Amino acid sequence: MDIGIDQINAMLRASSVAGDANATVEERRAGMLATTAVMTALETVEISEATLGGRPALAFRSPSAVAGKALLYLHGGGYVIGSPETHRGIVSHICDAMGANAWSLDYRMGPEDRYPAGVDDAVAAYRELLETHTPGDVIIAGDSAGGGLALASAMKARDAGLRMPAGLVLLSPWTNLNQVGSSYDTKAEADLMVSREALNWYVDQYLGADGNTDDPYVSPACGDFTGMPPMLVQVGTAEMLYSDSVAVAERAGAANIAVTLECWPHMPHVFQAFYPFLADSRAAIARIGAWGAAQLNR
């Protein structure tokens, strides 16, 4: 049953673990798993355990999938929390809407395995997909930190000489770990999911004391967009990371890359995940599916 954005915001205010500065890594991971349990997967999509690029993954087989079309999904969670399990619901809906089978990668995260482990895992997964798929039959997608990872891994794959995928889908992507952009201040009060304190904590866990937030594979909004594939960027106007999405779209356009930036009014961070409750979330997923299908069938 649909509820309004005001009720979604009330739910976010009541959620404590993600915003608790004293919560441990384990508590934050458990909190995200519990929160996403209500985001159920499509019953018609078959989900099974798999391995991709030497890492565990979940494989999604949709009845709507066109043979040979693939989605590589990189989950969000600040490079520290989250997993294919927390994102099985949203991935099932996106791949079904796109008409593609999907792999959701369990890439390595901090603090156990800091940068560049996650980027290396994502590139290895894409490289393995290319053994059985043409690049034009693959979309790479991700939300929040996973959106940043999708962009960074595409840049690293390009720099390694790999052909680019058909497109990138970036949902509320965290693409500049320096936290620059006006929205980090202007949207701070409106954003009920993200704060500077939380972002600083995730950066510390992901990079460690010697990390370089200017590294383009860490903050891909600072990188070279030459030769990148077409991009779809969706972002809510009520989130601190709004500026990151705008920066990506501007840099992509300046590099003559086809980019579609969708700014959804009043929507929170990764609002697509609220598809059980919000019509706008389902509409956004439908647009992702249509855009992805168009890229895969060019």
Side-chain angles (χ1 to χ4, degrees):
M1 182 176 71
D2 280 357
I3 60 178
I5 189 61
D6 290 341
Q7 289 173 279
I8 291 291
N9 288 336
M11 290 168 54
L12 293 174
R13 290 189 185 94
S15 176
S16 60
V17 173
D20 185 354
N22 298 314
T24 65
V25 171
E26 291 74 19
E27 287 170 337
R28 292 174 194 241
R29 288 173 178 169
M32 187 173 191
L33 184 61
T35 299
T36 56
V38 298
M39 285 45 165
T40 55
L42 279 174
E43 294 182 357
T44 53
V45 175
E46 179 184 338
I47 305 174
S48 60
E49 294 182 355
T51 301
L52 188 66
R55 291 295 301 168
L58 287 181
F60 295 73
R61 299 291 177 265
S62 169
S64 72
V66 177
K69 309 300 181 181
L71 170 69
L72 172 60
Y73 197 91
L74 305 171
H75 67 81
Y79 301 105
V80 178
I81 67 175
S83 68
E85 189 63 33
T86 61
H87 284 63
R88 63 190 292 145
I90 191 170
V91 175
S92 73
H93 283 265
I94 289 175
C95 74
D96 189 68
M98 193 176 291
N101 290 320
W103 285 261
S104 182
L105 186 68
D106 190 7
Y107 58 88
R108 289 173 291 172
M109 300 186 295
E112 297 89 348
D113 297 290
R114 292 190 165 110
Y115 172 81
V119 181
D120 290 343
D121 289 345
V123 174
Y126 177 59
R127 189 185 294 272
E128 183 172 332
L129 278 179
L130 294 187
E131 294 176 3
T132 52
H133 298 76
T134 62
D137 287 339
V138 180
I139 296 280
I140 303 178
D143 64 279
S144 193
L149 183 58
L151 181 55
S153 61
M155 287 180 174
K156 192 162 189 177
R158 174 203 60 193
D159 295 344
L162 299 180
R163 291 175 58 195
M164 288 291 89
L168 302 177
V169 175
L170 313 178
L171 311 182
S172 300
W174 188 20
T175 60
N176 194 330
L177 275 60
N178 291 301
Q179 299 181 44
V180 297
S182 61
S183 64
Y184 282 88
D185 294 319
T186 61
K187 304 292 184 179
E189 185 175 344
D191 197 323
L192 302 175
M193 298 177 67
V194 177
S195 68
R196 283 192 182 274
E197 181 180 44
L199 293 174
N200 288 334
W201 183 87
Y202 285 114
V203 170
D204 289 344
Q205 301 300 311
Y206 179 48
L207 298 182
D210 300 325
N212 177 16
T213 52
D214 291 326
D215 184 330
Y217 301 143
V218 170
S219 295
C222 303
D224 178 10
F225 280 62
T226 304
M228 286 289 96
M231 303 177 193
L232 170 65
V233 185
Q234 288 186 343
V235 64
T237 64
E239 53 176 308
M240 287 180 65
L241 270 58
Y242 179 84
S243 293
D244 283 32
S245 291
V246 174
V248 166
E250 289 179 344
R251 288 182 66 86
N256 295 312
I257 304 303
V259 58
T260 300
L261 172 64
E262 295 185 356
C263 305
W264 289 70
H266 311 297
M267 290 295 107
H269 187 56
V270 195
F271 68 95
Q272 300 85 353
F274 296 104
Y275 57 83
F277 314 113
L278 286 177
D280 278 350
S281 302
R282 295 191 295 276
I285 289 174
R287 291 174 70 92
I288 294 167
W291 185 90
Q295 301 305 313
L296 291 171
N297 290 291
R298 290 180 66 179

